[in-house]
Each structure stands twice: as structure tokens, then as C-alpha cells.
């Protein structure tokens, strides 16, 4: 009988400290492989593999595409690459962003759930918004366990609270208890024969994340979900709505995917960008009208002076209204 020998961990803002504590507390003879996604800045090297390798008894390193999975090791997602699991090996690919992140917690968790079913333990640590929620739902659907850091102690409680909002998690623990808990869970025996087959949606979305070219030839009616009335915040493509448990998610043809909180945040950012663009355009018109007023005055064209001054006054009012809207958004 198999054990829970696949541990996937996701974190964002405030996640380094609990990750380091987890690594330090893991048993030296852990009979499992640990895979870590920490949201990082694209183009910037990550010191996380070195930190985790130094802090704990298990060797830690940046994951390499096609690498064979070994027990008793920590694999860290490289910056700006999606980390996915396949039976016996891992992938690190330049797949589409999910929840505006690459690497994304959901991508790792979903691929693990598809490949390993009940053998998976999913762990969500400190972070904002809701990356990791959809992935934990996939883990639970396939018979795995869900663990979250106690939101009361998390630097950012958004990710743990989102997971707890949408599913019944199995364990809520402080970072100081995480390593010992995972050591115990990794030795639990599970019956993999009782695991459900991965859903069509789970299979398709894992293929999209791994840049499987055949996904682009799928007919729209064969893609998961139904067509949405909103567009992708990143590429403007049509989004499809995908229901996963109680969670409604969105994915476009290109592959960008969003959970609810991230979708709402992307919409807020889109509104702000539009306001700044409108303000820039109107201020340019105001500057031009003031220039026309000065030119008309120099030529003593009184009728044109009055005409352009009236337009400039009206434009100034629009500028002030836009600035008030932007100030309200800052206050909100």
C-alpha cells in the first residue's frame, strides 16, 4: 500500500519564514518528496533553494525540467517557470501564468493531484489573494490531504483563509508544527485504488500549463467550462468559466487562469490603468488648449481667446474629476 509521499507547498508574501521553519523541522528520514512554489519576481534569481538546503536536514535545490523525483529531497520551483509533476519526474516550463503568477501554486498542486491522487499532501502558507485554493480543491477531489498555515500567525492571511473558505481543510497548524505534522502524514498508508479518475477539466488544464500544443487545436465546445461575459485581464481574450467544487474560476484560450479574488484584483488594476490613461489624455488636451489661448492672445484674437478659454475651463473640470476618482481609489 502506498503512503503520502508527495508533499506540495505553496507560499507568497511572508512565506519565506514558514518555509524555512518547515525545512528545519522535517525529519532527516522523511519518506517523501517535497515540492515548493514561492511567488517570485521574474528575472530575479532566488536564494530559497540555498536557504532551505542550509536550514534543514534534507537536500534542497532548484527543480530542473525532466528531473527524476527522489524521496527525501526538496525541489524548489525556479523563478518564472511553472513547476508540474508527472509520474516519476517533474517539469519546469514557461507555461501561461495562473493567478498572474509563474510559478503558480495552483499549477503545481493540480498536476500533483492528477499524477499522484491520494498520495498528495497540499500545504498553503502565508500569501495574499487566493492562489492555492483551486489547487487544494483538486488535491482533495483526488483523495489527498489539505493543510494550511494558521491564518492568525501568517504574515498575509489571504491564501490560508481563501482555502479555508472554499473547502474543509484537514489540518490548520502554526509553522512551528508543520515539519512534525508532515513527517507523520508522510508515513500514513493510503489506498490508491479508491482514487477517482482525474476529471476532464483537470487533465486539460494540466496540459495547458505544460504547454501541450494539442490544447490549442481543441474546439471551443470541447474546452472545459462555459464562455464568460468578461475578457482576460492580461491578453484580452475570451474567458471560460470553470466550476471546481464551490470555486468558480476563469481561463482564456491562451492559458491565463484566475481564481475569484485574483480576477477581482486584476479588474481593479484595469480600472486604475484606464483612469490614468484617461487623465494623461485629458491633461494633454488641456495643455494644447492653454497653448491655443496664449497664441490667440498674442495675436489679439479675442473671440478665439474666449472660445479656447471656455474649452480649457471645461477640460480642467474633467481633469479635477478624474483626479478625485483616483484619490478615492487610493483611500479605498
Amino acid at each position: 500500500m502506498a503512503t503520502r509521499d508527495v508533499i506540495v507547498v505553496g507560499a507568497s508574501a511572508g512565506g519565506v519564514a514558514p518555509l524555512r521553519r518547515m525545512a528545519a523541522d522535517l525529519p532527516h528520514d522523511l519518506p517523501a518528496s517535497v515540492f515548493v512554489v514561492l511567488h517570485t519576481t521574474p528575472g530575479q534569481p532566488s536564494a530559497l533553494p540555498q536557504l532551505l538546503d542550509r536550514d534543514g536536514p534534507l537536500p534542497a535545490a532548484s527543480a530542473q525540467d525532466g528531473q527524476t523525483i527522489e524521496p527525501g529531497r526538496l525541489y524548489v520551483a525556479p523563478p518564472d517557470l511553472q513547476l508540474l509533476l508527472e509520474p516519476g519526474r517533474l517539469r519546469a516550463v514557461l507555461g501561461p501564468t495562473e493567478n498572474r503568477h509563474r510559478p503558480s501554486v495552483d499549477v503545481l498542486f493540480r498536476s500533483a493531484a492528477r499524477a499522484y491522487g491520494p498520495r498528495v499532501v497540499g500545504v498553503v502558507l502565508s500569501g495574499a489573494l487566493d492562489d492555492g485554493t483551486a489547487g487544494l480543491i483538486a488535491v482533495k477531489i483526488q483523495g489527498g490531504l489539505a493543510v494550511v498555515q494558521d491564518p492568525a500567525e501568517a504574515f498575509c492571511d489571504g491564501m490560508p483563509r481563501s482555502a479555508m473558505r472554499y473547502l474543509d481543510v484537514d489540518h490548520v497548524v502554526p509553522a512551528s508544527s508543520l515539519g512534525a505534522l508532515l513527517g507523520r502524514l508522510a508515513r500514513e498508508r493510503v489506498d490508491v485504488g479508491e482514487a477517482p479518475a482525474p476529471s476532464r477539466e483537470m487533465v486539460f488544464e494540466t496540459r495547458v500549463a505544460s504547454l501541450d500544443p494539442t490544447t490549442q487545436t481543441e474546439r471551443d465546445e470541447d474546452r472545459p467550462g462555459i464562455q464568460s461575459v468578461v475578457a482576460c485581464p492580461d491578453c484580452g481574450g475570451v474567458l471560460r468559466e470553470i466550476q471546481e467544487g464551490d470555486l468558480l474560476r476563469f481561463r482564456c484560450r491562451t492559458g491565463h487562469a484566475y481564481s475569484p479574488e485574483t480576477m477581482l484584483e486584476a479588474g481593479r488594476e484595469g480600472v486604475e490603468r484606464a483612469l490614468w490613461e484617461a487623465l494623461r489624455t485629458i491633461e494633454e488636451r488641456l495643455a494644447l488648449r492653454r497653448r491655443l489661448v496664449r497664441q490667440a492672445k498674442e495675436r489679439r484674437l479675442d473671440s478665439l481667446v474666449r472660445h479656447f478659454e471656455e474649452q480649457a475651463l471645461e477640460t480642467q473640470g474633467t481633469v479635477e474629476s478624474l483626479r478625485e476618482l483616483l484619490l478615492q481609489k487610493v483611500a479605498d
Side-chain angles (χ1 to χ4, degrees), residues 29 53 73 78 80 86 97 99-100 109-110 120 125 135 137 169 183 190-191 204 222 229 271 302 323 327:
D29 58 347
D53 186 68
R73 300 183 67 88
D80 207 27
E86 295 179 352
T97 60
N99 288 321
R100 314 193 94 178
F109 284 21
R110 188 180 299 115
V120 179
L125 303 177
I137 290 174
V169 300
V190 292
D191 186 356
F204 181 85
D222 294 332
V229 296
V271 170
D302 294 341
R323 288 191 174 277
L327 286 171

Side-chain angles (χ1 to χ4, degrees), residues 24-285:
D25 294 341
L26 287 171
H28 68 89
D29 58 347
L30 183 75
S33 306
V34 182
F35 306 87
V36 175
V37 160
L38 175 70
H39 294 160
T40 54
T41 302
Q44 298 296 320
S46 173
L48 185 62
Q50 291 78 16
L51 290 174
L52 300 185
D53 186 68
R54 185 182 65 193
D55 290 337
L58 303 182
S62 180
Q64 304 296 316
D65 187 38
Q67 190 173 2
T68 300
I69 295 173
E70 300 178 22
R73 300 183 67 88
L74 280 76
Y75 301 90
V76 180
D80 207 27
L81 292 177
Q82 297 291 16
L83 177 61
L84 300 95
L85 303 189
E86 295 179 352
R89 69 167 188 163
L90 55 81
R91 301 294 314 280
V93 298
L94 193 70
T97 60
E98 183 148 346
N99 288 321
R100 314 193 94 178
H101 292 293
R102 186 174 55 216
S104 164
V105 181
D106 282 340
V107 169
L108 170 63
F109 284 21
R110 188 180 299 115
S111 67
R114 177 191 175 187
Y116 293 100
R119 295 165 58 183
V120 179
V121 178
V123 183
V124 169
L125 303 177
S126 174
L129 298 179
D130 54 0
D131 194 28
T133 297
L136 267 188
I137 290 174
V139 168
K140 289 284 286 185
I141 287 174
Q142 295 305 115
L145 296 181
V147 179
V148 301
Q149 182 182 4
D150 186 348
E153 70 151 27
F155 179 81
C156 285
D157 64 1
M159 283 171 52
R161 288 197 186 279
S162 175
M164 295 171 67
R165 190 177 300 124
Y166 283 99
L167 72 152
D168 293 327
V169 300
D170 299 288
H171 300 276
V172 180
V173 296
S176 59
S177 301
L178 185 57
L181 172 65
L182 295 177
R184 294 195 302 271
L185 296 180
R187 290 175 169 80
E188 287 186 0
R189 297 191 176 276
V190 292
D191 186 356
V192 296
E194 296 182 357
S199 67
R200 181 175 66 92
E201 290 82 2
M202 189 181 298
V203 172
F204 181 85
E205 291 194 280
T206 304
R207 289 168 54 210
V208 169
S210 64
L211 284 182
D212 183 337
T214 63
T215 59
Q216 295 304 313
T217 62
E218 295 271 2
R219 300 179 303 172
D220 284 344
E221 55 268 31
D222 294 332
R223 290 171 173 263
I226 60 174
Q227 186 167 310
S228 175
V229 296
V230 293
C232 175
D234 287 321
C235 71
V238 175
L239 288 169
R240 295 183 71 83
E241 298 179 359
I242 301 171
Q243 190 73 44
E244 192 164 37
D246 294 326
L247 183 71
L248 180 65
R249 299 187 297 106
F250 305 86
R251 187 180 291 275
C252 74
R253 174 177 286 277
T254 305
H256 302 127
Y258 313 85
S259 292
E261 295 296 331
T262 306
M263 187 69 181
L264 290 170
E265 177 65 13
R268 184 197 66 78
E269 292 175 1
V271 170
E272 183 175 331
R273 283 196 302 271
L275 286 174
W276 282 112
E277 178 67 19
L279 180 62
R280 179 191 63 79
T281 302
I282 299 301
E283 286 190 333
E284 288 175 353
R285 292 172 62 186

